[in-house]
Amino acid sequence: MSNQHTNLKKINIELLCLMLEYGVKRLVENYRYIDELNVFPVPDGDTGTNMKITVETGYEAIKKQSFEDIFLLGKTFTRNLLLGARGNSGVITSQIFKGFFKYIPEQTKEIDISMLVMCFAGAKETSYKAVITPVEGTMLTIIRVVSEMLCKDEKKIDNIEQMFEKIVNIAEQTLIKTPELLPELKEAGVVDSGAYGVCRIFEGMKYAINLYTGTVNSAKPTSSSNEIQETKSSSNEFVDNNEGFGYCNEFIMTIGSRVEASQKQKEKFDEHKFKKQLEKMGESIVFVRDEELVKVHIHTPSPWKVFEYASNFGEFNKVKVENMTLQYLEKNPGLTLQELFARSNPSSKPHEDIEINNTSDITKIIVTTPDNKTAELFEDKFDIKNVIKTNIVGNPSVTNFLKQIKATNSKKIIILLDDSNYFMSAEQTKKMLPKEINVEIIVTKNIAISYYLCLLFNSKISYEKNIKIMLSGFKKSESILISTAAKEGIFNKVKVRKNDFFVIFNKKIIKAGDNLFEISNSAFSFSIGKRKIRDIYLFAGDNAGDGEVKKISEFIEKTYKIKPNVFHTDIQNYPLSIAFIK
């Protein structure tokens, strides 16, 4: 672009859209690194992934649209940010932008420096309010310090370029200081991952301003590898290629085979049940079996579910996955993804609001589960139909919760979250519901405690009484999680080596070592001590050997005179999830 826009005094709709575009792109380019900055050594660092999914959902809703004013742009962007928000980092990101657009009135065509200062003040205010106990040294600190700096220096700022130069500089300086504000960061030797993500968004916005004013090379920075390259043409005529949507998947599998010695023995293969399950997962199924080999062709929007299910019975000799939706677009030049969906299903609208008109007074439970086996356990044991499988959806978004709430058809709902990182999405969902829908959120932090609370639930008593009983039971429970370290370091003065087992008790690492049996014994001694325990529930994950679990169970029975309730699952990252009831 030419330099006719230099010395900008205001941001118009075109520039703001460009700033959001490059803010999103810069974050997406760095999301894997942001994941790696995760302080805890649990191999599920997902701050970057959660922020990426959140901002991409917001941007997808605005990138093909034109807006009459900035108010409508902000309303659309922030609404879809919230619907796609995942994890605490995603929700806080959505609230930063919600606050940013909060004070922009309708019919606003441009934002000047004074209004931008107010926008950042709104971002600080709204994001801090979204967190029950705000913690400094996080992304909240970045937005607070930036806002305070802008308020202080407003009269010294001459133009938009200078303003965002200041914003990026102060954000980076604040990021460097985050380890001094959070001991966990200093101990781990890293900056805060969410704060790093916010800095990347600001950096992308600054780049967009420079691109707009012609003060940088017009070539765009390297884009994310997963961006869809769009082909433009003068024709938008729809051609039905009769190939369907989603993914075309083919694989050849050897029944009973394994790829690692550490893997558990595969399940017995039942051809009839296997085909029945495939029918639930997709269509256009072709199944061929030759002794120990199986070849499958299936169309499905969720290929990972098929591969995960099939891997219970053997391992893959060959796998092929093709994106049929992109094939449609390639054969129909000029047709956009949104147009394709609209024409194939005219009644659907991307990101349309979900209406909740639940009528039943019967109390229902929604539970998050970390794997399919645990989900089946809750469905079979407690007849809970509304299960969010986080091994499939990742950190549940607001949309995930809304859909499950709607599916209950109940006005009285109890949500059990086995991970505290899901709370903010659930809480934001609760705020969006009609006032006649009652939702109680209990953050169990452990699937074993979620199971125990479901045992206390009684469908024959009132919603209020169930909540009282379950909360009382929750207070009498304690949680132990044993994970496998993804990296080494010193955490809470405990030295952890990569691939060590380590114990999490009361949000802190208390012990680490390479022997699961010894580590679990130490965990019991530390957390239980000599207290009398009424029950113990133990969920064994996918990398806890049957022999080890049996040995641990026998130790518990001998030491505490209690036979633990043991469940074998496919939970990733946590060999043992344990709840003991006082």
Side-chain angles (χ1 to χ4, degrees):
M1 293 185 180
S2 69
N3 61 2
Q4 62 178 327
H5 298 298
T6 54
N7 196 27
L8 284 172
K9 300 297 183 181
K10 296 179 180 180
I11 293 174
N12 59 24
I13 297 173
E14 178 190 0
L15 175 54
L16 185 54
C17 286
L18 195 68
M19 290 167 65
L20 294 175
E21 175 187 354
Y22 279 94
V24 169
K25 282 185 176 180
R26 190 65 179 135
L27 174 71
V28 170
E29 288 167 2
N30 287 271
Y31 86 95
R32 293 189 187 278
Y33 178 71
I34 297 169
D35 281 344
E36 292 171 4
L37 283 175
N38 214 38
V39 175
F40 244 39
V42 177
D44 63 352
D46 51 13
T47 298
T49 300
N50 289 339
M51 293 180 75
K52 170 184 177 290
I53 293 171
T54 301
V55 297
E56 283 184 328
T57 305
Y59 183 65
E60 281 295 320
I62 66 169
K63 73 174 186 178
K64 293 294 183 182
Q65 295 194 48
S66 58
F67 295 91
E68 294 180 1
D69 59 39
I70 291 174
F71 172 83
L72 291 174
L73 168 65
K75 184 178 180 181
T76 304
F77 182 65
T78 57
R79 171 68 174 174
N80 285 279
L81 276 181
L82 181 57
L83 288 174
R86 293 176 183 265
N88 294 346
S89 58
V91 174
I92 294 173
T93 301
S94 75
Q95 296 306 290
I96 288 172
F97 280 103
K98 179 182 178 181
F100 181 90
F101 286 100
K102 181 179 180 180
Y103 295 117
I104 297 177
E106 294 184 47
Q107 306 302 318
T108 300
K109 305 289 186 181
E110 294 179 318
I111 310 174
D112 61 15
I113 291 171
S114 178
M115 185 174 286
L116 273 170
V117 172
M118 188 166 59
C119 288
F120 276 92
K124 180 191 78 170
E125 174 189 320
T126 303
S127 57
Y128 268 81
K129 282 183 178 179
V131 183
I132 294 175
T133 308
V135 176
E136 295 300 333
T138 65
M139 59 204 303
L140 291 173
T141 303
I142 300 292
I143 201 67
R144 176 182 61 78
V145 174
V146 166
S147 174
E148 290 171 354
M149 179 275 295
L150 292 177
C151 287
K152 178 183 175 184
D153 294 347
E154 179 182 348
K155 293 182 179 179
K156 301 177 184 177
I157 299 172
D158 296 325
N159 54 56
I160 300 298
E161 301 99 301
Q162 182 190 11
M163 184 178 198
F164 270 82
E165 186 75 33
K166 279 180 171 286
I167 288 170
V168 170
N169 288 340
I170 197 68
E172 293 291 353
Q173 292 169 22
T174 306
L175 175 67
I176 294 170
K177 296 176 184 177
T178 55
E180 301 301 322
L181 299 172
L182 262 183
E184 295 93 333
L185 296 173
K186 189 171 186 178
E187 195 172 38
V190 295
V191 296
D192 182 71
S193 54
Y196 184 90
V198 171
C199 288
R200 300 291 67 77
I201 292 173
F202 289 160
E203 183 182 50
M205 288 180 160
K206 174 177 171 284
Y207 179 90
I209 293 168
N210 293 338
L211 186 63
Y212 184 79
T213 58
T215 54
V216 295
N217 191 303
S218 61
K220 294 182 180 180
T222 304
S223 60
S224 168
S225 61
N226 69 343
E227 281 190 316
I228 298 174
Q229 297 298 316
E230 297 173 348
T231 305
K232 295 190 179 294
S233 166
S234 59
S235 171
N236 279 337
E237 184 179 356
F238 180 73
V239 179
D240 186 354
N241 297 296
N242 195 30
E243 290 180 3
F245 299 91
Y247 295 91
C248 173
N249 313 277
E250 289 183 2
F251 65 84
I252 299 173
M253 179 180 74
T254 301
I255 298 170
S257 66
R258 295 183 293 166
V259 292
E260 288 183 345
S262 61
Q263 282 183 304
K264 294 188 295 185
Q265 293 292 336
K266 300 296 182 176
E267 296 177 22
K268 184 178 179 181
F269 185 77
D270 184 315
E271 183 173 322
H272 177 71
K273 288 183 179 178
F274 189 82
K275 289 179 181 178
K276 283 287 186 184
Q277 187 63 29
L278 289 181
E279 288 173 1
K280 296 177 182 178
M281 295 180 171
E283 55 189 22
S284 300
I285 299 168
V286 178
F287 178 97
V288 179
R289 181 176 181 182
D290 181 16
E291 296 183 349
E292 79 276 13
L293 289 179
V294 167
K295 183 173 181 179
V296 171
H297 170 279
I298 182 172
H299 290 180
T300 174
S302 307
W304 58 89
K305 295 182 184 179
V306 175
F307 296 134
E308 181 182 47
Y309 174 71
S311 66
N312 291 317
F313 307 98
E315 290 297 335
F316 306 105
N317 302 40
K318 185 178 179 182
V319 171
K320 184 179 79 170
V321 180
E322 294 180 342
N323 189 321
M324 296 185 295
T325 305
L326 289 185
Q327 289 174 352
Y328 256 112
L329 295 176
E330 289 169 1
K331 294 180 180 181
N332 293 274
L335 184 68
T336 68
L337 189 61
Q338 300 292 2
E339 289 169 340
L340 174 63
F341 288 160
R343 296 188 187 193
S344 62
N345 183 12
S347 64
S348 67
K349 296 180 181 178
H351 306 293
E352 65 181 347
D353 290 352
I354 302 173
E355 293 184 8
I356 309 292
N357 299 310
N358 295 358
T359 58
S360 173
D361 285 318
I362 299 173
T363 303
K364 294 289 184 177
I365 292 178
I366 295 173
V367 61
T368 59
T369 64
D371 70 310
N372 289 351
K373 281 189 178 179
T374 306
E376 290 170 5
L377 174 65
F378 280 82
E379 291 167 358
D380 296 341
K381 174 76 175 179
F382 306 112
D383 195 31
I384 296 176
K385 306 297 184 185
N386 303 101
V387 179
I388 299 176
K389 301 175 184 178
T390 56
N391 60 309
I392 295 175
V393 304
N395 281 270
S397 66
V398 169
T399 298
N400 293 139
F401 283 114
L402 283 171
K403 286 181 178 179
Q404 289 301 328
I405 289 170
K406 183 176 182 179
T408 65
N409 191 36
S410 175
K411 294 187 287 186
K412 298 175 179 179
I413 300 163
I414 299 171
I415 301 178
L416 302 179
L417 306 176
D418 69 310
D419 190 322
S420 58
N421 200 34
Y422 309 155
F423 172 73
M424 290 192 71
S425 293
E427 181 68 15
Q428 289 299 319
T429 306
K430 183 177 177 179
K431 291 177 181 178
M432 298 170 69
L433 298 173
K435 61 181 180 180
E436 62 269 17
I437 308 261
N438 299 286
V439 173
E440 180 72 21
I441 302 169
I442 303 177
V443 185
T444 69
K445 301 177 187 175
N446 185 330
I447 195 64
I449 292 181
S450 294
Y451 180 87
Y452 168 64
L453 296 188
C454 286
L455 287 173
L456 301 178
F457 178 76
N458 184 346
S459 60
K460 296 180 180 179
I461 63 177
S462 70
Y463 173 70
E464 292 76 16
K465 195 165 185 179
N466 264 310
I467 291 172
K468 185 177 180 180
I469 291 171
M470 293 172 84
L471 288 175
S472 177
F474 180 60
K475 289 178 182 178
K476 295 175 183 177
S477 65
E478 293 277 7
S479 168
I480 301 172
L481 293 170
I482 298 181
S483 184
T484 308
K487 59 184 176 181
E488 65 178 41
I490 299 175
F491 307 90
N492 192 36
K493 299 182 180 179
V494 177
K495 186 175 182 179
V496 180
R497 296 170 300 180
K498 188 174 181 179
N499 298 323
D500 266 357
F501 297 106
F502 64 94
V503 181
I504 305 170
F505 180 68
N506 288 338
K507 297 183 180 180
K508 293 183 178 179
I509 295 175
I510 61 170
K511 191 77 176 178
D514 59 4
N515 186 296
L516 182 59
F517 176 70
E518 292 177 1
I519 285 297
S520 63
N521 292 354
S522 298
F524 289 125
S525 298
F526 184 93
S527 56
I528 297 176
K530 296 182 179 180
R531 289 185 289 177
K532 289 185 178 181
I533 301 301
R534 184 157 50 88
D535 281 305
I536 292 180
Y537 300 89
L538 188 153
F539 281 66
D542 71 335
N543 56 344
D546 293 346
E548 289 176 304
V549 174
K550 183 179 179 183
K551 191 176 177 182
I552 292 168
S553 179
E554 290 172 348
F555 170 82
I556 293 172
E557 191 168 358
K558 181 179 177 181
T559 306
Y560 300 102
K561 312 303 178 188
I562 297 172
K563 186 175 178 62
N565 302 276
V566 178
F567 305 93
H568 293 273
T569 74
D570 292 328
I571 296 173
Q572 299 282 319
N573 304 325
Y574 292 94
L576 295 177
S577 302
I578 305 161
F580 58 88
I581 316 304
K582 297 173 277 187

